[in-house]
Amino acid sequence: MKSTIHPTAVVSPGATVGDDARIGPYAIVGERVRLGNNVSIGSHAVIDGDTTLGDDCVVYPHACIGLKSQDLKDTGGGGKLVIGKACTFREFVTINAGTPDGGGVTTIGDRNFLMAYAHIAHDCHVGSNIVMANVATLAGHVTIEDFVGLGGLVAVHQFVKIGTNAFVGGGTMVPMDIAPYLKATHGDNPRAKIIGLNTIGLTRRGFPPATIDSIRKAYRIIWRSKRLLKDAIEEAQAELGDVPEVAYLLDFLRSSERGITR
């Protein structure tokens, strides 16, 4: 079907607009933007830069997507933003393109939901089925794996990695990696601390009870035994390493560069 573009919208001649797109009043679509099919762009939203927005994405009013990063070293060297399908970006969401020094591209997967004022900075790599509540913020170079939930006002430090199926409670500062399957929040100070398994999330995702039990046993060895991390990983490997989800958890811990939240 033919796209519907409001007469006050500014769509650059070089932009690619898919079928059945809807572009609202005073929206701006830049020269190098590629919009998929059935994309909806709300009033006053700005989509600019070398940006790809997949099919069925919805951008609410006043969101700014694909603009140059806020990195002071970024001289505007042609960074990219690639967004998958069926993502929703609510009012005033901001997402920055990649930088030449950081790999050149920011990537976002499919079916993500970003609430109002959420921010994804340059060179982040965000998976699929992510929920970022209001004002949740990712600094540059952050990696978020699939099925992660971030509460309102969560702030993630640059270069941090958050593993699949983790959940971080509102108002938490995250300076170090959060391992898969876990739940973190803040205590008396705003820094993240691990408080247990994300049991509700794992159950909703259909993880079998036996698998959840194995992950819980690994959690107790690594986060509750007070062993050195290296020794705890070795013990969990020996006892539970044949469980794929535990093996993935242990590989995540071994590969951490920022350090693990314990």
Side-chain angles (χ1 to χ4, degrees):
M1 296 177 62
K2 186 177 179 180
S3 295
T4 302
I5 301 175
H6 193 275
T8 62
V10 179
V11 180
S12 297
T16 300
V17 179
D19 295 335
D20 201 26
R22 298 168 301 284
I23 302 177
Y26 303 101
I28 296 175
V29 179
E31 189 76 16
R32 295 178 292 162
V33 171
R34 294 164 297 280
L35 302 180
N37 299 325
N38 195 39
V39 167
S40 177
I41 308 297
S43 66
H44 298 87
V46 177
I47 317 295
D48 205 358
D50 189 348
T51 297
T52 299
L53 197 64
D55 296 348
D56 303 311
C57 285
V58 180
V59 180
Y60 276 73
H62 298 282
C64 291
I65 294 175
L67 279 67
K68 176 185 170 184
S69 80
Q70 300 176 90
D71 185 344
L72 297 177
K73 302 187 299 299
D74 186 358
T75 58
K80 297 181 179 181
L81 171 62
V82 179
I83 298 173
K85 299 178 179 180
C87 293
T88 298
F89 306 109
R90 292 301 306 241
E91 297 83 354
F92 295 97
V93 162
T94 53
I95 306 174
N96 294 158
T99 63
D101 294 335
V105 61
T106 302
T107 61
I108 297 174
D110 303 329
R111 299 174 300 280
N112 296 307
F113 185 74
L114 275 64
M115 299 183 194
Y117 292 92
H119 174 67
I120 296 177
H122 60 91
D123 304 296
C124 287
H125 298 290
V126 175
S128 297
N129 301 290
I130 310 301
V131 176
M132 293 177 61
N134 299 290
V135 202
T137 298
L138 308 184
H141 310 279
V142 168
T143 298
I144 307 291
E145 296 186 341
D146 296 344
F147 295 100
V148 168
L150 303 179
L153 296 164
V154 166
V156 183
H157 192 281
Q158 60 187 8
F159 294 102
V160 161
K161 185 175 181 180
I162 299 181
T164 181
N165 289 281
F167 177 81
V168 183
T172 302
M173 307 291 105
V174 185
M176 301 175 76
D177 293 350
I178 304 288
Y181 317 120
L182 302 187
K183 183 166 57 176
T185 189
H186 61 85
D188 295 333
N189 68 68
R191 288 175 177 261
K193 66 175 184 177
I194 301 300
I195 59 171
L197 256 60
N198 181 20
T199 307
I200 293 175
L202 296 177
T203 302
R204 287 175 176 170
R205 285 282 333 281
F207 279 64
T211 299
I212 295 175
D213 187 56
S214 294
I215 297 171
R216 183 178 290 108
K217 290 177 181 177
Y219 162 77
R220 288 171 178 164
I221 292 170
I222 295 165
W223 278 271
R224 291 292 178 256
S225 68
K226 298 184 179 180
R227 294 176 174 83
L228 293 174
L229 181 59
K230 177 177 68 69
D231 297 337
I233 290 173
E234 290 178 357
E235 181 177 341
Q237 178 69 51
E239 292 188 21
L240 302 157
D242 58 339
V243 179
E245 290 78 7
V246 173
Y248 186 82
L249 169 64
L250 300 179
D251 286 342
F252 182 99
L253 300 178
R254 295 186 187 103
S255 67
S256 174
E257 296 180 1
R258 281 289 301 175
I260 298 294
T261 301
R262 296 186 76 188

